[in-house]
């Protein structure tokens, strides 16, 4: 095969895999979030956070006139992983504060006061690690580093701003008393 034919074949494979695995990642995330929070709100906030972070990352690629390659193809999955973790921490802490009796914006502020620094530090240190890839001699690795930094910082920023803002405007979730691990069959299975 010639080089253009090989590139076209790889592009088709990458596109097929992207359309297969990103929805699968979202389905797994949705299942985990629903099991963890047992509410539409607990499901929607992390998913929205990750979706927006991915859009921002892909928009940065477009603005920089770059496309997915064999290495940057991993960026959407990476943004899913870090973005989901950041948003879940914020949602989880908010629900914990509500269980302790705080409500409304007081609960949002209380939850954020507990997780803002850890989520910020996790985002900044993760981004700093990806910055180190930018000194590589390989342009594809440099691009991977750049877009991982963009995705990580976008996910962190959204988890620390949009998620709490949505928590502030949405009604407080109705949370059951804290369950023990033995309370449900699923929990016992886990």
């Amino acid at each position: 095969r010639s080089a253009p034919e090989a590139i076209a074949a790889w592009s088709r494979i990458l596109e097929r895999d992207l359309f297969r695995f990103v929805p699968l990642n979202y389905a797994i995330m949705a299942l985990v979030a629903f099991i963890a929070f047992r509410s539409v709100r607990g499901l929607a906030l992390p998913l929205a956070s990750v979706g927006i972070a991915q859009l921002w990352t892909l928009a940065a690629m477009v603005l920089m006139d770059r496309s997915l390659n064999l290495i940057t193809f991993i960026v959407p999955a990476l943004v899913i992983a870090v973005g989901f973790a950041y948003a879940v921490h914020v949602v989880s802490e908010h629900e914990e504060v509500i269980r302790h009796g705080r409500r409304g914006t007081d609960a949002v502020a209380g939850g954020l006061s507990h997780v803002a620094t850890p989520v910020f530090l996790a985002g900044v240190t993760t981004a700093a690690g990806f910055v180190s890839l930018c000194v590589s001699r390989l342009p594809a690795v440099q691009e991977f580093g750049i877009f991982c930094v963009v995705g990580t910082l976008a996910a962190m920023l959204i988890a620390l701003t949009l998620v709490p803002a949505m928590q502030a405007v949405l009604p407080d979730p109705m949370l059951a008393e804290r369950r023990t691990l033995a309370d449900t069959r699923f929990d016992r299975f886990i």
Side-chain angles (χ1 to χ4, degrees):
R1 285 188 162 182
S2 69
E5 289 173 346
I7 291 170
W10 275 111
S11 294
R12 284 190 302 276
I13 291 168
L14 289 176
E15 183 178 321
R16 183 195 69 214
D17 286 350
L18 188 65
F19 285 111
R20 180 181 299 154
F21 291 117
V22 168
L24 180 62
N25 286 337
Y26 272 91
I28 292 168
M29 253 189 333
L31 179 64
V32 168
F34 190 75
I35 289 169
F37 299 113
R38 295 188 174 129
S39 71
V40 173
R41 173 196 182 108
L43 167 96
L45 290 175
L47 291 179
S49 176
V50 168
I52 294 167
Q54 280 191 321
L55 284 174
W56 287 6
T57 305
L58 294 173
M61 292 175 112
V62 170
L63 289 172
M64 295 178 72
D65 198 29
R66 299 289 186 258
S67 60
L68 293 174
N69 60 42
L70 288 172
I71 298 176
T72 59
F73 167 74
I74 301 165
V75 172
L78 186 132
V79 172
I80 286 174
V82 298
F84 186 66
Y86 299 158
V88 163
H89 284 301
V90 173
V91 172
S92 177
E93 190 60 33
H94 177 250
E95 290 193 1
E96 188 62 27
V97 168
I98 287 175
R99 280 190 184 93
H100 285 94
R102 293 170 79 176
R103 299 283 182 256
T105 56
D106 183 48
V108 174
L112 201 54
S113 73
H114 289 117
V115 296
T117 300
V119 169
F120 176 78
L121 291 174
V124 169
T125 56
T126 302
F130 288 125
V131 165
S132 69
L133 297 174
C134 297
V135 298
S136 172
R137 292 183 186 181
L138 301 172
V141 174
Q142 290 174 349
E143 288 178 14
F144 177 73
I146 291 167
F147 296 122
C148 284
V149 168
V150 170
T152 299
L153 294 178
M156 178 198 67
L157 182 65
I158 292 164
L160 293 176
T161 58
L162 180 67
V163 171
M166 293 304 299
Q167 290 171 325
V169 298
L170 293 171
D172 287 335
M174 299 300 292
L175 301 176
E177 291 298 316
R178 178 179 287 274
R179 296 182 175 124
T180 65
L181 287 179
D183 283 345
T184 67
R185 283 186 195 161
F186 182 78
D187 291 332
R188 284 192 304 268
F189 173 75
I190 295 294

